[in-house]
Amino acid sequence: TSITDPVTIDELEKYASNHLDKNAFDYYSTGAENDVTLRENRLAFNRIKLRPRMLRDVSHQDISVTVLGHKLSMPICVSPSAYQAMAHPDGELATVRAVRSLGTAMGLSLYSTTSLEDVALEAPNTIKFFQMQLYTDRQLMATITRRAEKAGYKAILLTVDCPLYGRHQGRRRFELPGHLKYANFSSVQQRKRFKSNAELGAHIIALLDCSVDWKILDWLRSITSLPVVVKGILTPEDARLAVQHGAKGILVSNHGGRQLDGVPAAIEVLPEIVNAVQGTGVEVYMDSGVRLGTDVLKALALGARAVFVGRPVIWGLAYKGEQGVKAVLQMLRDEFKTAMVLAGCASLKDITSSLVMRPATSHL
Ligand code: FNR
């Protein structure tokens, strides 16, 4: 490392803002509407204070975890985020290589710029989850879901916070640059003979189905044997419904502040959701705003089995492709390990709710 190398995720974001073109950086960085939730995702983590314990023999450290029964080297995974080739030409291939070398898991976006099959071939033994959107075209949903199952993905991350796309101020309507592809939609592209990404993009936006209800989970489970993780839950009521409809995991998330502005930080609602599904065997994860090892510690103390990170991966890609994403995951891992040891925890089971102070002003 040279003295100018970024050593924190915030520095990587700064690097990305200076090096990516404006269309791309704005697309990746913005939140919805007035960015209230985007900011809150960081503020809520900062409000939580830790209660470290001393003299507890932390010489043998173990941060490995299982997610849906799959062993991972650490409780830090990659959230699905769209269009990664805009951040680096290797796009999702760079991400999955970095995830492979760290031994953790990757969520692949339905809107990846590399096909789900190519990502799978690049790292067949790496744990990968495929993100699905709710479309009026159920046949298309089923076809892509079965492709993901065949390619070896281990779960479907069903995004439920997106009956339409949130409004993003201060940026123009996003358009995927002409040299990149909606790589999972080549059959749609061929069938409809779209001539540009703009035409295909508009078609995909129009496919979003805001008429679905919880029965869609039963339908999804009827067409695939993969476990379903519901992504985008923010209330205990919905967490209970997800469990009733057979979800195997719940990803507490506000989509990185990109959908409904004004919702609380995911970390703030995590404890009540963990509490609501306790005893069901359903795993609870969180994303939205994780930037530091201490954030991971706080999320685990409040009941998350693992955290996911979205934008940090993009900043890593913008910095150095595969090496950059590796650097991001290593930073988070090393910071998390340091935080654990300083807090008196040797393994994940030592991380309990007594590790955090609850601010008097919130229901945390
Ligand atoms: C996303 N996210 C997202 N989620 C999803 O289900 N499908 C998708 O295609 C995308 N695309 C996407 C693009 C970009 C640029 C971002 C930043 C996010 C949301 C993502 O999975 C995750 O919930 C958030 O990114 C988590 O917040 P942080 O880590 O970015 O703060």
Side-chain angles (χ1 to χ4, degrees):
T1 47
S2 87
I3 201 155
T4 53
D5 281 339
V7 292
T8 65
I9 287 169
D10 284 351
E11 286 173 18
L12 282 168
E13 176 172 1
K14 182 133 299 153
Y15 180 96
S17 80
N18 292 331
H19 289 80
L20 286 177
D21 73 59
K22 187 170 158 45
N23 175 50
F25 183 74
D26 287 354
Y27 171 71
Y28 292 138
S29 62
T30 48
E33 302 283 1
N34 289 321
D35 290 346
V36 173
T37 295
L38 180 72
R39 279 192 299 272
E40 184 60 14
N41 282 344
R42 288 303 310 141
L43 295 172
F45 269 118
N46 292 339
R47 280 196 300 270
I48 300 168
K49 300 296 187 289
L50 294 163
R51 302 177 66 250
R53 299 297 307 275
M54 308 303 159
L55 303 179
R56 296 229 288 191
D57 184 1
V58 287
S59 55
H60 300 287
Q61 298 143 26
D62 180 9
I63 61 167
S64 66
V65 68
T66 64
V67 166
L68 298 172
H70 305 286
K71 179 140 185 182
L72 306 181
S73 67
M74 61 179 182
I76 304 164
C77 309
V78 169
S79 296
S81 66
Y83 317 136
Q84 295 186 357
M86 227 167 40
H88 187 278
D90 296 344
E92 293 83 5
L93 292 179
T95 304
V96 82
R97 287 181 199 128
V99 167
R100 175 180 60 198
S101 66
L102 267 288
T104 183
M106 168 171 176
L108 184 75
S109 168
L110 175 60
Y111 303 126
S112 57
T113 39
T114 313
S115 74
L116 67 93
E117 285 85 2
D118 288 348
V119 172
L121 278 174
E122 187 70 21
N125 299 321
T126 296
I127 303 301
K128 297 170 296 298
F129 310 128
F130 190 74
Q131 180 261 323
M132 183 46 68
Q133 211 74 29
L134 294 166
Y135 286 155
T136 48
D137 186 344
R138 298 285 197 280
Q139 189 54 49
L140 179 65
M141 279 182 73
T143 304
I144 301 180
T145 299
R146 293 199 182 106
R147 279 170 54 195
E149 182 162 0
K150 185 156 171 257
Y153 288 74
K154 299 295 187 200
I156 297 298
L157 304 179
L158 183 66
T159 300
V160 295
D161 60 7
C162 198
L164 53 72
Y165 293 103
R167 298 164 63 90
H168 295 248
Q169 295 201 344
R171 80 160 140 88
R172 284 165 297 144
R173 200 156 225 350
F174 171 76
E175 238 178 64
L176 188 64
H179 67 288
L180 301 178
K181 284 201 197 72
Y182 287 95
N184 296 317
F185 291 86
S186 47
S187 65
V188 178
Q189 171 91 31
Q190 279 159 15
R191 187 154 32 88
K192 302 266 185 183
R193 299 170 195 279
F194 291 125
K195 284 182 217 60
S196 66
N197 277 341
E199 282 177 16
L200 179 56
H203 175 75
I204 290 171
I205 287 174
L207 280 173
L208 286 184
D209 189 353
C210 61
S211 78
V212 287
D213 60 29
W214 284 96
K215 290 194 288 291
I216 196 73
L217 257 74
D218 306 297
W219 172 80
L220 183 60
R221 290 192 302 115
S222 77
I223 60 128
T224 180
S225 59
L226 291 177
V228 175
V229 173
V230 180
K231 175 175 184 287
I233 296 291
L234 288 170
T235 60
E237 298 92 304
D238 281 347
R240 282 188 209 101
L241 282 164
V243 173
Q244 278 164 29
H245 289 274
K248 290 284 185 287
I250 291 172
L251 178 44
V252 180
S253 168
N254 56 36
H255 214 109
R258 294 166 77 84
Q259 287 295 97
L260 178 61
D261 197 26
V263 301
I267 189 67
E268 190 159 16
V269 295
L270 175 68
E272 60 193 22
I273 291 174
V274 168
N275 187 44
V277 308
Q278 204 155 41
T280 61
V282 171
E283 299 186 348
V284 180
Y285 328 107
M286 68 83 57
D287 77 16
S288 299
V290 175
R291 299 292 180 270
L292 299 167
T294 47
D295 298 338
V296 183
L297 188 64
K298 290 168 183 175
L300 268 57
L302 293 170
R305 188 165 186 92
V307 303
F308 286 67
V309 287
R311 292 185 189 81
V313 171
I314 304 287
W315 309 148
L317 282 173
Y319 175 50
K320 267 187 189 172
E322 175 188 350
Q323 292 311 317
V325 179
K326 242 175 108 169
V328 162
L329 295 174
Q330 282 167 345
M331 270 177 208
L332 283 170
R333 180 195 61 195
D334 295 348
E335 288 178 9
F336 171 58
K337 268 187 129 173
T338 302
M340 256 180 75
V341 170
L342 290 173
C345 304
S347 74
L348 304 191
K349 69 174 179 349
D350 301 330
I351 303 175
T352 63
S353 61
S354 66
L355 201 64
V356 296
M357 281 169 57
R358 281 103 200 285
T361 52
S362 90
H363 50 273
L364 266 180

